[in-house]
Amino acid sequence: MQKGFFSIFLNEVQRLLTSPRLMFLAVILPCGLFLYYASLLQEGVPRKFPVVLLDQDKSNTSRELGRMLNATSSMDIVAEVENQQDGEKMIRTDKAFALIIIPTNFENDIYRNIDTQVACYYNNNYLLAGGLINKAFQSTVGSFAAGAHISGLTQKGLTQKQALAATSPINSNQHILFNPYTNYSYYLTIALMPMALQIIVMVVSIYVLGSVLKDRKGRELYVKSRGNVWVSFWAKTLPYTLLFSLIGFFMNSLLYYKIGIPLRGNFLIVNIYFIVFVIVCQLFGLFYVSFNKDLRSALTLGGSYSAIAFSFTGYTFPKEGLPDVIQYLSYTFPFTSYLRFIIDYAVRGIAIGSLNFGYIIAFMIFCLIGFASMPGYNRLLKKGGYYV
């Protein structure tokens, strides 16, 4: 049995090293995706979205507000237009993300303590750009209005401190946990990289286990393993388990030491958990191979199942805001248990003893499904493959 295991194992290693298709899919593609995501989000936060300005007042005060808006990290005033129609046209043609309008008599109204409005029309089809522009606009105009109010109160005889207290009697004291800089690289790469890798792990596992059946070489593998499906499965998948574990170590090193995502857990435990995640994906890949009539169906269903996992994790939308059915359905994907463990343990620093062990239980259920699929896979090997 040991001889059969090492024979199958070495043959699979040789196949991996001599197959350009497998090398590209299992090595080059995931590493390329990691580098792509890292470079795509290297700035951390998008900056300087193009904005156009319609200054109908043309006063010193309106120009000062324009300079303040342009000085924010989110906005770059690329042009001044003569009318609202020209500004709206630039938004519709994607030459700008927003139009800011400073009204006529803006300066006079401020000096006479008359309410005045500065309008911002922004394209919210781009949620990230629209949200950042709106946030910067509200903050800048609010600061400008507070400054004008304080100036008016000091001219009436109040001290600077009294004017400040009258303008803002209640101050907020905010503490942003875990991602204080609102770094989108921290937020997205920790999910996108393992998501891409788990799709590749699933597809490669299905291909490796199913190609034997497709090529009708199942009987040969069955004889080499002496009819032991455990030998067949582990000898075929172990080279890829080791390979994906190394790639996962590279991924985690990139995430926590190059990109700089705060790590409040143990780096070794994070990598061990990823190895468990790889094995779970391989076992679940066996399920798709064993209960489909051909390799094409197994790859289609397994790949589709892996691809939609991100939508059900509740990562970009709060899990608590999802319908109850979707919250429970999210646990039918191994990626949910992996990502929530990483967020809780590695990023938030929750001690292992205080974690929700539902993640581990879900992993165990997926493993049991894979183990339950082994007799079906063994029968296919014994028959020689699909369509036999």
Side-chain angles (χ1 to χ4, degrees):
M1 189 175 295
Q2 289 181 352
K3 184 178 179 180
F5 178 89
F6 285 110
S7 175
I8 299 169
F9 175 82
L10 293 175
N11 285 341
E12 196 60 42
V13 171
Q14 183 180 11
R15 179 191 182 193
L16 171 63
L17 296 177
T18 57
S19 172
R21 179 185 300 176
L22 277 175
M23 285 296 293
F24 174 80
L25 185 59
V27 180
I28 298 175
L29 181 59
C31 293
L33 286 173
F34 297 161
L35 297 176
Y36 169 73
Y37 288 138
S39 61
L40 179 67
L41 301 166
Q42 63 180 342
E43 294 295 330
V45 180
R47 301 180 184 277
K48 291 298 180 183
F49 294 104
V51 172
V52 291
L53 175 66
L54 173 57
D55 185 356
Q56 296 175 327
D57 192 47
K58 305 292 185 182
S59 63
N60 291 332
T61 304
S62 66
R63 282 192 286 269
E64 181 183 354
L65 176 59
R67 286 192 293 269
M68 289 179 63
L69 291 167
N70 193 46
T72 65
S73 61
S74 299
M75 290 188 282
D76 180 22
I77 298 179
V78 295
E80 290 197 30
V81 293
E82 295 300 323
N83 53 66
Q84 184 172 340
Q85 290 73 24
D86 289 344
E88 292 176 353
K89 182 179 179 181
M90 292 188 71
I91 295 177
R92 293 193 185 97
T93 56
D94 285 338
K95 294 180 181 179
F97 287 92
L99 165 65
I100 296 172
I101 301 177
I102 301 177
T104 307
N105 298 323
F106 176 71
E107 185 177 69
N108 290 336
D109 288 345
I110 290 177
Y111 288 152
R112 292 157 56 190
N113 292 323
I114 299 175
D115 287 340
T116 184
Q117 291 185 344
V118 178
C120 178
Y121 298 89
Y122 59 93
N123 186 354
N124 209 34
N125 283 331
Y126 303 99
L127 287 175
L128 177 60
L132 290 174
I133 289 173
N134 183 48
K135 181 180 178 181
F137 173 78
Q138 297 286 350
S139 176
T140 303
V141 172
S143 298
F144 185 86
H149 190 215
I150 290 172
S151 177
L153 291 175
T154 54
Q155 291 177 5
K156 292 180 179 180
L158 272 67
T159 66
Q160 188 78 13
K161 188 174 182 179
Q162 290 172 330
L164 182 61
T167 302
S168 181
I170 301 175
N171 293 319
S172 61
N173 188 1
Q174 299 181 8
H175 300 273
I176 302 176
L177 302 177
F178 312 123
N179 190 0
Y181 305 108
T182 319
N183 189 311
Y184 284 86
S185 180
Y186 293 178
Y187 171 60
L188 291 175
T189 53
I190 198 172
L192 291 176
M193 288 187 183
M195 174 65 195
L197 187 53
Q198 67 101 21
I199 296 175
I200 293 170
V201 171
M202 183 74 79
V203 170
V204 169
S205 301
I206 293 173
Y207 176 77
V208 167
L209 295 169
S211 59
V212 178
L213 303 175
K214 174 181 175 293
D215 298 334
R216 302 180 66 175
K217 295 181 180 179
R219 186 67 186 178
E220 179 183 336
L221 180 61
Y222 181 83
V223 172
K224 280 186 178 181
S225 63
R226 298 186 179 181
N228 191 320
V229 68
W230 290 80
V231 171
S232 302
F233 173 78
W234 293 114
K236 291 285 288 183
T237 58
L238 185 58
Y240 302 94
T241 307
L242 298 174
L243 174 63
F244 288 130
S245 297
L246 289 174
I247 294 175
F249 180 83
F250 167 71
M251 176 190 73
N252 288 325
S253 299
L254 188 63
L255 286 171
Y256 298 111
Y257 296 114
K258 176 63 178 177
I259 295 176
I261 296 175
L263 177 63
R264 293 179 172 85
N266 185 287
F267 185 68
L268 177 61
I269 293 178
V270 170
N271 283 282
I272 291 174
Y273 194 76
F274 180 80
I275 295 172
V276 175
F277 177 54
V278 169
I279 295 172
V280 169
C281 289
Q282 290 177 320
L283 283 167
F284 212 62
L286 176 66
F287 166 78
Y288 282 100
V289 172
S290 302
F291 291 95
N292 277 284
K293 62 180 181 179
D294 53 49
L295 179 59
R296 178 181 297 176
S297 299
L299 285 171
T300 301
L301 292 175
S304 301
Y305 167 82
S306 303
I308 64 175
F310 188 81
S311 301
F312 285 86
T313 58
Y315 184 66
T316 56
F317 187 86
K319 181 188 69 172
E320 293 75 14
L322 297 172
D324 291 340
V325 174
I326 301 299
Q327 291 188 43
Y328 290 115
L329 188 61
S330 69
Y331 281 99
T332 62
F333 298 89
F335 183 68
T336 299
S337 297
Y338 170 79
L339 187 60
R340 289 181 180 171
F341 175 89
I342 291 300
I343 296 300
D344 286 347
Y345 174 74
V347 177
R348 295 175 179 168
I350 300 176
I352 290 182
S354 302
L355 289 173
N356 181 356
F357 280 91
Y359 311 149
I360 307 298
I361 294 173
F363 268 9
M364 293 174 63
I365 293 174
F366 287 119
C367 290
L368 290 175
I369 293 174
F371 294 150
S373 306
M374 285 192 173
Y377 185 64
N378 201 39
R379 284 193 296 270
L380 290 172
L381 292 178
K382 190 175 182 179
K383 291 179 180 180
Y386 293 122
Y387 300 115
V388 177

